[in-house]
Amino acid sequence: MRNFFIINEDLNNENLSGKRKKLDIKSAFSIECGLLGEEFFYKVLNSKKIAERYDGDYIELWKKYYRAIKQYVDLTDFCGIIETDSGEIIEISKCISKEKMIEGTPIEWKKFYEIYLKILREINSLVKHYNGKVGMDTSIWNFTINGELFDLDPPRLFKGKESVFSNKEDKGHYERTFYRNFTEEGMKTNLLATILLGLNKGNIIVNNKDTNYIERLLEGLINSFDEQEIIKKKLFCNDNQFYGFENHPIKIIRDFIQKNKEENKSMKEERKQKFIFVTGPSESGKSGAVIHMTRKFPGEVKHLKIRNIFREMYERTNKEMSYEDWYQEQTTEKFEEFWDNYIKTAKDLGEGADIVVMDTLYGVNEIKFLHSRLGKNVGLLYIDAPLQDRITREYTRLRTDSPYSDRKADLTVTWEQIEEQTKRKDEKKKKAGAFDLKRLAINENGKLEINDNALVHFADVINNDGTLEEFENKLDKFISKELQIIRREREYEGR
């Protein structure tokens, strides 16, 4: 080795000379990344690019930077950096699984926001102790889901203009790089700008975001500054003179602020409409409830089956994969995008109805997300009934000709078969979370959470434990109340 800085003593000539397993990962200053055995991750840096932008001892610069930044910033387990006899520069750290990377890994909003505030505090520490001499690349994809920085290349240790590693042929590159990596304003606004870009592109996946998450992020950013009025003016004024270079973080943030304002305005201008998801145990009367409500209130109440909305969403794609594969990918890897698309599609199919009733929803996470997007414009109607009543009704239904379709009575079915079938369905729904839906309540932050001790729960529960007439009267009372609320809101808004 020509030069080296070893941090972890477990790193030795034996594992350094081990077989490399190349991975399809690259960064701005690397040409190859991969694994050294099961324990280490290596990154071969672009030596030519480094030499073009810095003529000093890169290993020494990296060592000083590492020792400075680790005092105030949480880092992943770096093991060292070496320069081989052939001039190859290799940075080595402990392996980080893909699931630990913040880019592409779903993370809850509460934890994500805590990481965001933590990084802002770390920036404050760097500014306080080094006064612009030590910085970092705060792009959110450089962090793990625990808020650890894992990219130190090139070192953000200021030793004159050359140590900024800017492109000499790009006149604005030095200003852009220095601003983002060394100034308090630049590091903080770059953090928020990359978060907004990542969320928009789907690279950063944050579940259960606050409805006003952009406002929360802005609040955290502004509160991290001592001179808050200055950053407020730059974020919210109409003056573009201070930008200085392309893709300025503040310009990116302001564009998202404007987009958010337009979306909020558009939402307010939309016709008031409420989505009500019908759920409950098997054979409790959900289908009958939906049929009654849509027939009793035609034009005002429209019924959409959830599975039909899913199918319509698929039909609007280019169908490059099967419906099953598409559904699996969307509901697991693109959860928020999927349900945002669901809301849009349901509104299209709702055709201006005041209330759109949809059946059947089982998942707690799904209704939590829908509530985070729609607020008071989404509701739950939980139809409940005693087990014996449910079995008896299904037994009677199947042994009678259907008044709604061409289904004929099946006189071979037994009560015992229906009992077994109903219990099996209940168990399946219980595992899916359907029974937890009626336990949800709105907490002090306006979010849904399971709370058995809440005085008021989110779902409207109707017990189908009497006659058909009594059940339908309960449904009429429920829908009439919902329609009255919608009409009152329209009158208040001058519609």
Side-chain angles (χ1 to χ4, degrees):
M1 288 184 289
R2 182 185 299 175
N3 199 358
F4 61 88
F5 171 52
I6 302 299
I7 302 166
N8 190 321
E9 293 181 358
D10 292 338
L11 190 64
N12 51 51
N13 287 330
E14 184 178 344
N15 46 46
L16 282 174
S17 60
K19 187 176 181 181
R20 298 179 187 177
K21 181 181 178 182
K22 187 176 178 180
L23 299 177
D24 188 20
I25 301 173
K26 283 187 180 181
S27 63
F29 273 80
S30 69
I31 56 176
E32 181 184 322
C33 296
L35 301 177
L36 276 174
E38 298 294 326
E39 188 177 2
F40 299 105
F41 175 83
Y42 74 88
K43 183 162 62 173
V44 179
L45 305 184
N46 191 331
S47 303
K48 181 180 179 182
K49 188 174 183 179
I50 290 172
E52 289 174 351
R53 300 187 181 186
Y54 184 71
D55 60 4
D57 186 334
Y58 187 83
I59 303 296
E60 184 65 20
L61 184 71
W62 194 98
K63 177 173 70 174
K64 289 181 179 179
Y65 177 59
Y66 171 81
R67 287 175 171 171
I69 195 172
K70 75 170 184 175
Q71 298 183 57
Y72 303 106
V73 177
D74 280 344
L75 305 176
T76 52
D77 290 330
F78 285 93
C79 299
I81 185 168
I82 64 172
E83 184 178 6
T84 66
D85 292 335
S86 62
E88 193 177 48
I89 300 176
I90 307 173
E91 179 192 289
I92 303 167
S93 60
K94 286 290 185 72
C95 285
I96 308 171
S97 66
K98 186 178 180 182
E99 293 74 23
K100 294 292 185 181
M101 301 291 191
I102 209 164
E103 183 175 13
T105 302
I107 183 173
E108 289 297 310
W109 162 255
K110 183 178 180 181
K111 182 176 181 181
F112 182 82
Y113 192 68
E114 288 173 353
I115 291 172
Y116 172 64
L117 295 180
K118 171 182 168 294
I119 298 171
L120 289 172
R121 290 193 297 270
E122 290 175 339
I123 295 170
N124 282 342
S125 294
L126 291 179
V127 172
K128 177 182 177 181
H129 291 91
Y130 296 118
N131 194 28
K133 298 297 182 181
V134 176
M136 63 175 169
D137 184 345
T138 57
S139 300
I140 191 61
W141 36 79
N142 289 333
F143 294 85
T144 69
I145 58 172
N146 294 320
E148 299 165 326
L149 179 66
F150 64 83
D151 189 356
L152 299 186
D153 292 297
R156 274 71 182 182
L157 184 67
F158 188 74
K159 288 182 171 294
K161 188 172 183 178
E162 192 174 72
S163 64
V164 175
F165 289 86
S166 59
N167 184 351
K168 296 181 175 69
E169 296 179 0
D170 184 345
K171 293 181 179 179
H173 192 255
Y174 172 80
E175 287 77 10
R176 182 164 64 247
T177 305
F178 182 81
Y179 175 80
R180 289 175 174 173
N181 295 331
F182 289 97
T183 70
E184 177 185 7
E185 182 184 291
M187 286 188 282
K188 290 179 177 180
T189 56
N190 182 62
L191 172 63
L192 178 52
T194 55
I195 287 173
L196 295 174
L197 288 170
L199 289 171
N200 186 58
K201 293 179 181 178
N203 300 332
I204 305 300
I205 307 166
V206 182
N207 294 329
N208 298 313
K209 294 196 300 292
D210 277 5
T211 307
N212 60 337
Y213 73 94
I214 291 182
E215 287 82 356
R216 290 287 308 280
L217 291 168
L218 284 167
E219 178 186 28
L221 174 73
I222 292 167
N223 289 340
S224 72
F225 284 90
D226 290 332
E227 301 292 336
Q228 295 181 9
E229 292 305 315
I230 295 176
I231 190 63
K232 280 182 183 179
K233 183 177 179 181
K234 290 186 176 183
L235 289 169
F236 301 112
C237 76
N238 295 320
D239 182 13
N240 299 332
Q241 296 300 315
F242 62 86
Y243 288 163
F245 52 82
E246 293 182 358
N247 299 321
H248 197 289
I250 291 181
K251 173 67 166 58
I252 293 171
I253 294 169
R254 284 172 58 169
D255 287 347
F256 275 100
I257 292 173
Q258 184 61 33
K259 180 183 177 183
N260 188 51
K261 285 181 180 178
E262 292 171 358
E263 288 176 350
N264 289 339
K265 182 181 178 182
S266 177
M267 287 177 64
K268 289 178 181 177
E269 291 174 349
E270 286 181 359
R271 175 184 174 86
K272 282 290 181 183
Q273 184 182 65
K274 187 164 186 176
F275 291 168
I276 295 177
F277 290 88
V278 182
T279 189
S282 303
E283 326 308 348
S284 60
K286 297 184 295 296
S287 297
V290 169
I291 291 170
H292 172 76
M293 289 186 290
T294 52
R295 289 187 174 184
K296 184 68 180 285
F297 301 90
E300 295 173 300
V301 179
K302 185 178 178 65
H303 171 222
L304 296 174
K305 282 190 172 292
I306 291 177
R307 65 172 179 265
N308 291 343
I309 298 174
F310 292 164
R311 177 61 67 174
E312 176 62 22
M313 291 162 61
Y314 174 71
E315 292 296 326
R316 295 182 181 187
T317 70
N318 54 22
K319 301 181 186 177
E320 290 184 345
M321 59 178 71
S322 68
Y323 173 79
E324 291 73 19
D325 290 343
W326 169 84
Y327 179 80
Q328 177 66 21
E329 179 190 68
Q330 292 284 312
T331 54
T332 55
E333 299 178 20
K334 301 180 179 180
F335 181 86
E336 291 196 3
E337 180 184 326
F338 175 80
W339 284 103
D340 278 333
N341 189 13
Y342 177 94
I343 292 171
K344 181 180 182 301
T345 308
K347 286 181 178 180
D348 291 344
L349 300 177
E351 296 179 349
D354 295 322
I355 294 175
V356 179
V357 291
M358 291 174 267
D359 61 330
T360 303
L361 185 72
Y362 299 142
V364 169
N365 288 335
E366 285 79 359
I367 193 63
K368 281 183 175 181
F369 177 76
L370 290 165
H371 179 262
S372 75
R373 287 290 195 259
L374 297 168
K376 64 183 179 180
N377 294 322
V378 65
L380 266 178
L381 175 58
Y382 192 98
I383 308 294
D384 211 345
L387 176 61
Q388 295 302 311
D389 288 357
R390 292 189 279 129
I391 296 170
T392 301
R393 287 171 186 152
E394 181 67 0
Y395 174 73
T396 304
R397 185 183 74 84
L398 292 178
R399 291 175 66 90
T400 307
D401 291 345
S402 172
Y404 306 116
S405 67
D406 57 1
R407 180 185 58 77
K408 298 299 181 183
D410 181 4
L411 300 179
T412 65
V413 72
T414 67
W415 197 94
E416 289 75 18
Q417 288 174 328
I418 299 303
E419 179 182 27
E420 181 183 351
Q421 173 185 292
T422 303
K423 289 181 177 179
R424 189 168 59 249
K425 286 183 178 179
D426 277 357
E427 187 59 31
K428 183 178 179 181
K429 289 184 178 180
K430 183 178 181 180
K431 289 181 179 178
F435 291 0
D436 290 329
L437 291 171
K438 68 176 180 180
R439 301 169 59 203
L440 289 169
I442 300 176
N443 64 21
E444 64 274 11
N445 297 319
K447 290 185 176 183
L448 288 179
E449 66 178 9
I450 292 177
N451 184 354
D452 293 323
N453 299 318
L455 296 176
V456 179
H457 283 90
F458 178 67
D460 286 273
V461 179
I462 291 181
N463 287 304
N464 184 11
D465 54 1
T467 66
L468 177 61
E469 182 179 1
E470 289 171 337
F471 181 47
E472 291 179 344
N473 285 339
K474 292 178 182 178
L475 292 169
D476 292 348
K477 185 178 179 180
F478 167 73
I479 287 295
S480 296
K481 177 198 71 174
E482 294 294 335
L483 288 171
Q484 185 178 14
I485 292 171
I486 292 173
R487 290 170 187 144
R488 190 162 55 238
E489 288 181 349
R490 284 200 193 127
E491 290 173 3
Y492 176 78
E493 294 177 0
R495 296 185 182 277

